[in-house]
Amino acid sequence: MLVLTRKTNQSIMIGDDVEVSLLSVMGEKVRIGIQAPKEIPVFRKEIYVEIQRERGRAGPPRPDVSSEAGDPLRKREGPSGQG
């Protein structure tokens, strides 16, 4: 595991296409922003694990489960930070 230290408004790059930005730190909570191409799914880990469980029970993976727009479990935050 690579461990990095970042300050608010600093970013890291993963490859050429994924940028992870530290938006704010409030006590034990850290807000991050992730910019990635639409074809790269981004999930909170607990949602990812649930999707994997569902795939295991339901048979072969469905393309709409991992797609950004088609996944009903995908967590997105609005401008107010509410998701």
Short mmCIF file of all heavy atoms in Angstrom, two decimals, residues 6 10 13 19-21 30 37 45 52-53 61 68 78 82:
data_model
loop_
_atom_site.label_atom_id
_atom_site.label_comp_id
_atom_site.label_asym_id
_atom_site.label_seq_id
_atom_site.Cartn_x
_atom_site.Cartn_y
_atom_site.Cartn_z
N ARG A 6 -1.37 14.48 2.06
CA ARG A 6 -1.87 15.55 1.22
C ARG A 6 -2.56 16.58 2.09
O ARG A 6 -3.11 16.26 3.14
CB ARG A 6 -2.90 15.05 0.19
CG ARG A 6 -2.39 14.02 -0.79
CD ARG A 6 -1.67 14.60 -2.00
NE ARG A 6 -0.38 15.15 -1.66
CZ ARG A 6 0.30 16.02 -2.37
NH1 ARG A 6 -0.19 16.49 -3.49
NH2 ARG A 6 1.46 16.44 -2.01
N GLN A 10 -5.13 19.56 -2.45
CA GLN A 10 -4.06 18.88 -3.18
C GLN A 10 -4.62 17.58 -3.75
O GLN A 10 -5.63 17.06 -3.27
CB GLN A 10 -2.87 18.60 -2.27
CG GLN A 10 -2.14 19.85 -1.84
CD GLN A 10 -0.92 19.54 -1.00
OE1 GLN A 10 -0.86 18.55 -0.28
NE2 GLN A 10 0.08 20.41 -1.08
N MET A 13 -2.60 11.63 -8.71
CA MET A 13 -3.02 11.07 -9.99
C MET A 13 -2.81 9.56 -9.95
O MET A 13 -1.80 9.08 -9.45
CB MET A 13 -2.21 11.66 -11.14
CG MET A 13 -2.42 13.14 -11.36
SD MET A 13 -4.11 13.59 -11.84
CE MET A 13 -4.31 12.70 -13.37
N GLU A 19 -7.94 11.37 -11.13
CA GLU A 19 -7.41 12.34 -10.17
C GLU A 19 -8.22 12.23 -8.88
O GLU A 19 -9.45 12.26 -8.89
CB GLU A 19 -7.52 13.76 -10.71
CG GLU A 19 -6.99 14.81 -9.75
CD GLU A 19 -7.06 16.21 -10.31
OE1 GLU A 19 -7.56 16.40 -11.43
OE2 GLU A 19 -6.58 17.13 -9.60
N VAL A 20 -7.51 12.09 -7.76
CA VAL A 20 -8.14 12.04 -6.45
C VAL A 20 -7.73 13.30 -5.70
O VAL A 20 -6.53 13.54 -5.51
CB VAL A 20 -7.71 10.77 -5.67
CG1 VAL A 20 -8.37 10.74 -4.30
CG2 VAL A 20 -8.04 9.51 -6.46
N SER A 21 -8.71 14.11 -5.31
CA SER A 21 -8.44 15.39 -4.65
C SER A 21 -8.93 15.36 -3.22
O SER A 21 -10.02 14.84 -2.93
CB SER A 21 -9.16 16.53 -5.37
OG SER A 21 -8.75 16.61 -6.71
N VAL A 30 -12.97 12.82 6.18
CA VAL A 30 -12.21 13.38 5.08
C VAL A 30 -13.08 13.32 3.84
O VAL A 30 -13.65 12.28 3.52
CB VAL A 30 -10.91 12.57 4.85
CG1 VAL A 30 -10.15 13.09 3.65
CG2 VAL A 30 -10.04 12.59 6.10
N PRO A 37 -12.74 8.81 -15.95
CA PRO A 37 -13.58 8.64 -17.13
C PRO A 37 -14.84 7.84 -16.79
O PRO A 37 -14.83 7.01 -15.87
CB PRO A 37 -12.69 7.84 -18.09
CG PRO A 37 -11.29 8.10 -17.62
CD PRO A 37 -11.39 8.28 -16.14
N LYS A 45 -16.27 1.19 -0.87
CA LYS A 45 -15.95 -0.23 -0.75
C LYS A 45 -17.15 -1.06 -0.32
O LYS A 45 -17.37 -2.16 -0.84
CB LYS A 45 -14.79 -0.45 0.23
CG LYS A 45 -14.36 -1.91 0.25
CD LYS A 45 -13.11 -2.13 1.03
CE LYS A 45 -12.73 -3.60 0.97
NZ LYS A 45 -11.50 -3.86 1.71
N GLN A 52 -20.46 -7.25 -5.58
CA GLN A 52 -19.79 -8.54 -5.81
C GLN A 52 -20.61 -9.69 -5.25
O GLN A 52 -20.71 -10.75 -5.87
CB GLN A 52 -18.38 -8.53 -5.20
CG GLN A 52 -17.44 -7.53 -5.84
CD GLN A 52 -17.32 -7.73 -7.35
OE1 GLN A 52 -17.12 -8.84 -7.82
NE2 GLN A 52 -17.45 -6.65 -8.10
N ARG A 53 -21.21 -9.50 -4.07
CA ARG A 53 -22.08 -10.54 -3.49
C ARG A 53 -23.26 -10.81 -4.40
O ARG A 53 -23.63 -11.95 -4.63
CB ARG A 53 -22.58 -10.10 -2.12
CG ARG A 53 -21.63 -10.42 -1.02
CD ARG A 53 -22.33 -10.26 0.33
NE ARG A 53 -21.34 -9.72 1.23
CZ ARG A 53 -21.44 -8.63 1.94
NH1 ARG A 53 -22.55 -7.92 1.91
NH2 ARG A 53 -20.47 -8.22 2.71
N PRO A 61 -21.68 -11.52 -14.41
CA PRO A 61 -21.85 -10.08 -14.22
C PRO A 61 -22.70 -9.47 -15.32
O PRO A 61 -22.62 -9.86 -16.47
CB PRO A 61 -20.43 -9.53 -14.26
CG PRO A 61 -19.55 -10.63 -14.64
CD PRO A 61 -20.32 -11.90 -14.64
N GLU A 68 -21.28 3.27 -14.78
CA GLU A 68 -21.44 4.46 -13.92
C GLU A 68 -22.88 4.93 -13.88
O GLU A 68 -23.44 5.17 -12.83
CB GLU A 68 -20.54 5.57 -14.42
CG GLU A 68 -20.67 6.83 -13.60
CD GLU A 68 -19.71 7.89 -14.04
OE1 GLU A 68 -18.93 7.66 -14.94
OE2 GLU A 68 -19.77 8.97 -13.44
N GLY A 78 -24.13 15.36 -4.12
CA GLY A 78 -24.56 16.57 -4.79
C GLY A 78 -23.73 17.75 -4.35
O GLY A 78 -22.81 17.60 -3.55
N GLN A 82 -24.41 16.24 0.26
CA GLN A 82 -25.34 15.19 0.65
C GLN A 82 -25.36 14.16 -0.46
O GLN A 82 -25.35 14.49 -1.63
CB GLN A 82 -26.75 15.75 0.86
CG GLN A 82 -26.82 16.80 1.93
CD GLN A 82 -26.41 16.26 3.30
OE1 GLN A 82 -26.81 15.19 3.68
NE2 GLN A 82 -25.57 17.00 4.01
#
